[in-house]
Amino acid sequence: MSDSGPAHPAHGALDLRVDEARAAIHAALRPLAETQAIALSAALGRVLAADVISPIDVPAHDNSAMDGYALNGSELQPGQPVQLRIVATVLAGAPLARSMAPGECVRIMTGAVMPDGLDTVVPQELCEASGGLLRIDADVVHAGDNRRLRGEDLARGRAALRAGRRLGPADLGLVASLGLTGVNVFRRLRVAVFSTGNELRSAGEPLGPGCIYDSNRHSLMAAVQRLGLQALDLGLVRDEPAALQAALARASAQADVVLVSGGVSGGDADHTRELLNRSGELAFWKVAMRPGRPLAFGTLRRAPGNTATLANDRPVWLFALPGNPVAALTAFYVFARDALLLLAGATEPPLASLRARTLAPIRKRAGRSEYLRGVVSRGADGDWQVRLTGPQGSGVLRSMSEANALLLLPQEQGPVAAGDWVEVWLFDGLT
Ligand code: AMP
Ligand code: MG
């Protein structure tokens, strides 16, 4: 056990709570600062480094919210029908060239610029037009109705989006609606991923006796990529000090963050712990959770002779995740996901969860958080329901692959009865 390292909550012989471990991680993080200007077409998933200020009023003109007839609201008298002369048709993109006189109105389409002096639109289904005349019954429309005001969505000079925003489809549309072709974003966070263990082989290689294929590197790299971050594949690393040392040096020369799986549980042949201890400021935790109890987190010293362009005044953050595939990915979601987004410059509310009724009882003892894999679907009563995906061993990756959600059973929770509400994170929300 390291006595130093980042905030290291003392907890006697007890395991650390999940929220304590998360808090200790977050207290040690510093978001990256380097920014770049990029084209809008390349900006999906990137994190804004500066507010996007609107250079225009949106909408740029008062315009009609309806297909109908535009008139001057002062022509309307309470309790009185009104009749007006239709003098023109105004289409979107073609403002009216002439000026309006009393007693006149125009046919107008949605989005068309309101002619000068007109401030009210009567929808076509609420009036009657024939022979160049428009008749409107008493009180069907009031002055100012059905007109969108210039700048009502966004006034020029106001922030349309704030720094820290991870750009989604609607955001890109919003930026384009301001006429902007690019945005300032943080450079992409670089996350090096490698797997440790002499028993591991890469897919495509022959599988020797006692060996297994490495799955963690692929799951973890994909999880990193799905966050919009850059994943660097550092391959398989044998559980030998020299190999680990070299891998850590390579990782710390190229990446902002290192994600390593395997070798933190303290087995005899696992050199990861010992070596990590000498490579930086690491804390080794036993977290009160299942799966994913062993976890190490901290910072590495940058390797001497670092040739990368990374700022040398920043540490390299390291997450050492448990080796069991379900534990590795669960620990990623519980500890690394939010931390990586924060390092990448994003400021986001916590992941949204929803509540679902469990279809079967769940054995659970108070004293540790549990993360089970389940399938959430809509029940006949319209409520969300969830069933577990078979055996929940921390090595059973199929339980995660078949699932669409992670059940979050909090530390204090005891046994769960069928029909009880449980909290879940949908995997499709884990981006
Ligand atoms: P460890 O944390 O290194 O003690 O590993 C715990 C279990 O997870 C062992 O059964 C390992 O073989 C397995 N394991 C470790 N790393 C991986 C990996 N990258 N892919 C699949 N299984 C792994
Ligand atoms: Mg191992």
Side-chain angles (χ1 to χ4, degrees), residues 214-235:
D214 169 22
S215 61
N216 289 348
R217 195 160 38 104
H218 299 276
S219 301
L220 294 171
M221 292 216 330
V224 166
Q225 287 162 348
R226 209 178 191 195
L227 294 175
L229 314 177
Q230 191 178 353
L232 308 175
D233 185 354
L234 267 60

mmCIF file of all heavy atoms in Angstrom, residues 214-235:
data_model
loop_
_atom_site.group_PDB
_atom_site.id
_atom_site.type_symbol
_atom_site.label_atom_id
_atom_site.label_comp_id
_atom_site.label_asym_id
_atom_site.label_seq_id
_atom_site.Cartn_x
_atom_site.Cartn_y
_atom_site.Cartn_z
ATOM 1 N N ASP A 214 -7.313 -11.533 -24.768
ATOM 2 C CA ASP A 214 -7.434 -10.221 -24.122
ATOM 3 C C ASP A 214 -8.701 -9.532 -24.615
ATOM 4 O O ASP A 214 -8.821 -9.217 -25.787
ATOM 5 C CB ASP A 214 -6.200 -9.393 -24.509
ATOM 6 C CG ASP A 214 -6.323 -7.934 -24.117
ATOM 7 O OD1 ASP A 214 -7.118 -7.617 -23.212
ATOM 8 O OD2 ASP A 214 -5.599 -7.109 -24.725
ATOM 9 N N SER A 215 -9.624 -9.307 -23.719
ATOM 10 C CA SER A 215 -10.820 -8.557 -24.121
ATOM 11 C C SER A 215 -10.809 -7.130 -23.572
ATOM 12 O O SER A 215 -11.370 -6.229 -24.173
ATOM 13 C CB SER A 215 -12.088 -9.280 -23.648
ATOM 14 O OG SER A 215 -12.099 -9.391 -22.239
ATOM 15 N N ASN A 216 -10.177 -6.926 -22.454
ATOM 16 C CA ASN A 216 -10.279 -5.619 -21.789
ATOM 17 C C ASN A 216 -9.808 -4.455 -22.654
ATOM 18 O O ASN A 216 -10.403 -3.379 -22.640
ATOM 19 C CB ASN A 216 -9.445 -5.607 -20.501
ATOM 20 C CG ASN A 216 -10.064 -6.478 -19.427
ATOM 21 O OD1 ASN A 216 -11.203 -6.907 -19.557
ATOM 22 N ND2 ASN A 216 -9.303 -6.755 -18.381
ATOM 23 N N ARG A 217 -8.716 -4.698 -23.381
ATOM 24 C CA ARG A 217 -8.158 -3.600 -24.178
ATOM 25 C C ARG A 217 -9.202 -3.114 -25.180
ATOM 26 O O ARG A 217 -9.358 -1.924 -25.414
ATOM 27 C CB ARG A 217 -6.902 -4.100 -24.890
ATOM 28 C CG ARG A 217 -6.022 -3.042 -25.463
ATOM 29 C CD ARG A 217 -4.626 -3.605 -25.691
ATOM 30 N NE ARG A 217 -4.646 -4.976 -26.154
ATOM 31 C CZ ARG A 217 -4.418 -5.358 -27.409
ATOM 32 N NH1 ARG A 217 -4.184 -4.460 -28.350
ATOM 33 N NH2 ARG A 217 -4.426 -6.638 -27.729
ATOM 34 N N HIS A 218 -9.934 -4.061 -25.730
ATOM 35 C CA HIS A 218 -10.922 -3.696 -26.749
ATOM 36 C C HIS A 218 -12.134 -3.013 -26.125
ATOM 37 O O HIS A 218 -12.620 -2.004 -26.651
ATOM 38 C CB HIS A 218 -11.293 -4.932 -27.568
ATOM 39 C CG HIS A 218 -10.092 -5.494 -28.282
ATOM 40 N ND1 HIS A 218 -9.676 -4.999 -29.489
ATOM 41 C CD2 HIS A 218 -9.188 -6.418 -27.898
ATOM 42 C CE1 HIS A 218 -8.563 -5.635 -29.851
ATOM 43 N NE2 HIS A 218 -8.245 -6.503 -28.892
ATOM 44 N N SER A 219 -12.612 -3.548 -25.019
ATOM 45 C CA SER A 219 -13.744 -2.905 -24.339
ATOM 46 C C SER A 219 -13.365 -1.493 -23.898
ATOM 47 O O SER A 219 -14.117 -0.542 -24.100
ATOM 48 C CB SER A 219 -14.139 -3.682 -23.084
ATOM 49 O OG SER A 219 -14.494 -4.988 -23.391
ATOM 50 N N LEU A 220 -12.199 -1.380 -23.303
ATOM 51 C CA LEU A 220 -11.812 -0.091 -22.719
ATOM 52 C C LEU A 220 -11.503 0.947 -23.793
ATOM 53 O O LEU A 220 -11.891 2.116 -23.677
ATOM 54 C CB LEU A 220 -10.616 -0.262 -21.777
ATOM 55 C CG LEU A 220 -10.920 -1.100 -20.522
ATOM 56 C CD1 LEU A 220 -9.642 -1.405 -19.749
ATOM 57 C CD2 LEU A 220 -11.930 -0.391 -19.621
ATOM 58 N N MET A 221 -10.825 0.508 -24.865
ATOM 59 C CA MET A 221 -10.558 1.467 -25.947
ATOM 60 C C MET A 221 -11.863 1.952 -26.556
ATOM 61 O O MET A 221 -12.023 3.141 -26.867
ATOM 62 C CB MET A 221 -9.681 0.833 -27.032
ATOM 63 C CG MET A 221 -8.272 0.563 -26.534
ATOM 64 S SD MET A 221 -6.996 0.807 -27.778
ATOM 65 C CE MET A 221 -7.848 0.424 -29.243
ATOM 66 N N ALA A 222 -12.814 1.032 -26.719
ATOM 67 C CA ALA A 222 -14.105 1.416 -27.292
ATOM 68 C C ALA A 222 -14.841 2.380 -26.369
ATOM 69 O O ALA A 222 -15.454 3.355 -26.819
ATOM 70 C CB ALA A 222 -14.951 0.172 -27.552
ATOM 71 N N ALA A 223 -14.775 2.114 -25.078
ATOM 72 C CA ALA A 223 -15.453 3.001 -24.124
ATOM 73 C C ALA A 223 -14.833 4.404 -24.169
ATOM 74 O O ALA A 223 -15.543 5.409 -24.092
ATOM 75 C CB ALA A 223 -15.363 2.416 -22.709
ATOM 76 N N VAL A 224 -13.513 4.454 -24.341
ATOM 77 C CA VAL A 224 -12.816 5.742 -24.442
ATOM 78 C C VAL A 224 -13.232 6.464 -25.726
ATOM 79 O O VAL A 224 -13.552 7.662 -25.731
ATOM 80 C CB VAL A 224 -11.281 5.519 -24.424
ATOM 81 C CG1 VAL A 224 -10.531 6.768 -24.865
ATOM 82 C CG2 VAL A 224 -10.832 5.075 -23.031
ATOM 83 N N GLN A 225 -13.263 5.699 -26.828
ATOM 84 C CA GLN A 225 -13.607 6.310 -28.119
ATOM 85 C C GLN A 225 -15.032 6.829 -28.111
ATOM 86 O O GLN A 225 -15.344 7.865 -28.682
ATOM 87 C CB GLN A 225 -13.422 5.288 -29.246
ATOM 88 C CG GLN A 225 -11.952 5.037 -29.534
ATOM 89 C CD GLN A 225 -11.707 3.755 -30.314
ATOM 90 O OE1 GLN A 225 -12.601 2.930 -30.461
ATOM 91 N NE2 GLN A 225 -10.494 3.603 -30.807
ATOM 92 N N ARG A 226 -15.903 6.100 -27.425
ATOM 93 C CA ARG A 226 -17.299 6.505 -27.395
ATOM 94 C C ARG A 226 -17.495 7.829 -26.660
ATOM 95 O O ARG A 226 -18.472 8.531 -26.876
ATOM 96 C CB ARG A 226 -18.118 5.418 -26.711
ATOM 97 C CG ARG A 226 -19.508 5.392 -27.208
ATOM 98 C CD ARG A 226 -20.258 4.290 -26.541
ATOM 99 N NE ARG A 226 -21.514 4.128 -27.240
ATOM 100 C CZ ARG A 226 -22.537 3.458 -26.765
ATOM 101 N NH1 ARG A 226 -22.458 2.847 -25.613
ATOM 102 N NH2 ARG A 226 -23.639 3.369 -27.442
ATOM 103 N N LEU A 227 -16.553 8.171 -25.823
ATOM 104 C CA LEU A 227 -16.616 9.465 -25.136
ATOM 105 C C LEU A 227 -16.071 10.583 -26.014
ATOM 106 O O LEU A 227 -16.038 11.735 -25.595
ATOM 107 C CB LEU A 227 -15.818 9.411 -23.827
ATOM 108 C CG LEU A 227 -16.356 8.494 -22.730
ATOM 109 C CD1 LEU A 227 -15.394 8.469 -21.554
ATOM 110 C CD2 LEU A 227 -17.738 8.944 -22.284
ATOM 111 N N GLY A 228 -15.624 10.223 -27.212
ATOM 112 C CA GLY A 228 -15.066 11.232 -28.107
ATOM 113 C C GLY A 228 -13.595 11.495 -27.856
ATOM 114 O O GLY A 228 -13.037 12.466 -28.351
ATOM 115 N N LEU A 229 -12.947 10.613 -27.090
ATOM 116 C CA LEU A 229 -11.542 10.796 -26.745
ATOM 117 C C LEU A 229 -10.684 9.902 -27.626
ATOM 118 O O LEU A 229 -11.172 8.975 -28.264
ATOM 119 C CB LEU A 229 -11.324 10.456 -25.265
ATOM 120 C CG LEU A 229 -12.351 11.073 -24.307
ATOM 121 C CD1 LEU A 229 -12.085 10.622 -22.877
ATOM 122 C CD2 LEU A 229 -12.340 12.587 -24.413
ATOM 123 N N GLN A 230 -9.380 10.192 -27.624
ATOM 124 C CA GLN A 230 -8.474 9.420 -28.468
ATOM 125 C C GLN A 230 -7.886 8.264 -27.673
ATOM 126 O O GLN A 230 -7.261 8.489 -26.631
ATOM 127 C CB GLN A 230 -7.356 10.340 -28.968
ATOM 128 C CG GLN A 230 -6.516 9.725 -30.041
ATOM 129 C CD GLN A 230 -5.450 10.683 -30.528
ATOM 130 O OE1 GLN A 230 -5.421 11.855 -30.147
ATOM 131 N NE2 GLN A 230 -4.558 10.173 -31.356
ATOM 132 N N ALA A 231 -8.084 7.054 -28.170
ATOM 133 C CA ALA A 231 -7.544 5.881 -27.481
ATOM 134 C C ALA A 231 -6.268 5.431 -28.199
ATOM 135 O O ALA A 231 -6.244 5.325 -29.413
ATOM 136 C CB ALA A 231 -8.574 4.753 -27.490
ATOM 137 N N LEU A 232 -5.204 5.212 -27.429
ATOM 138 C CA LEU A 232 -3.952 4.711 -27.998
ATOM 139 C C LEU A 232 -3.784 3.267 -27.558
ATOM 140 O O LEU A 232 -3.802 2.972 -26.360
ATOM 141 C CB LEU A 232 -2.764 5.533 -27.490
ATOM 142 C CG LEU A 232 -2.870 7.050 -27.636
ATOM 143 C CD1 LEU A 232 -1.671 7.729 -26.986
ATOM 144 C CD2 LEU A 232 -2.947 7.418 -29.110
ATOM 145 N N ASP A 233 -3.590 2.385 -28.517
ATOM 146 C CA ASP A 233 -3.482 0.958 -28.217
ATOM 147 C C ASP A 233 -2.035 0.612 -27.910
ATOM 148 O O ASP A 233 -1.193 0.595 -28.800
ATOM 149 C CB ASP A 233 -3.991 0.172 -29.427
ATOM 150 C CG ASP A 233 -4.016 -1.327 -29.151
ATOM 151 O OD1 ASP A 233 -3.535 -1.767 -28.082
ATOM 152 O OD2 ASP A 233 -4.521 -2.057 -30.029
ATOM 153 N N LEU A 234 -1.742 0.327 -26.654
ATOM 154 C CA LEU A 234 -0.375 -0.042 -26.278
ATOM 155 C C LEU A 234 -0.201 -1.549 -26.123
ATOM 156 O O LEU A 234 0.820 -2.019 -25.619
ATOM 157 C CB LEU A 234 0.061 0.701 -25.009
ATOM 158 C CG LEU A 234 0.802 2.008 -25.328
ATOM 159 C CD1 LEU A 234 -0.046 2.970 -26.117
ATOM 160 C CD2 LEU A 234 1.303 2.665 -24.078
ATOM 161 N N GLY A 235 -1.205 -2.284 -26.548
ATOM 162 C CA GLY A 235 -1.037 -3.723 -26.684
ATOM 163 C C GLY A 235 -1.051 -4.491 -25.371
ATOM 164 O O GLY A 235 -1.554 -4.042 -24.352
#
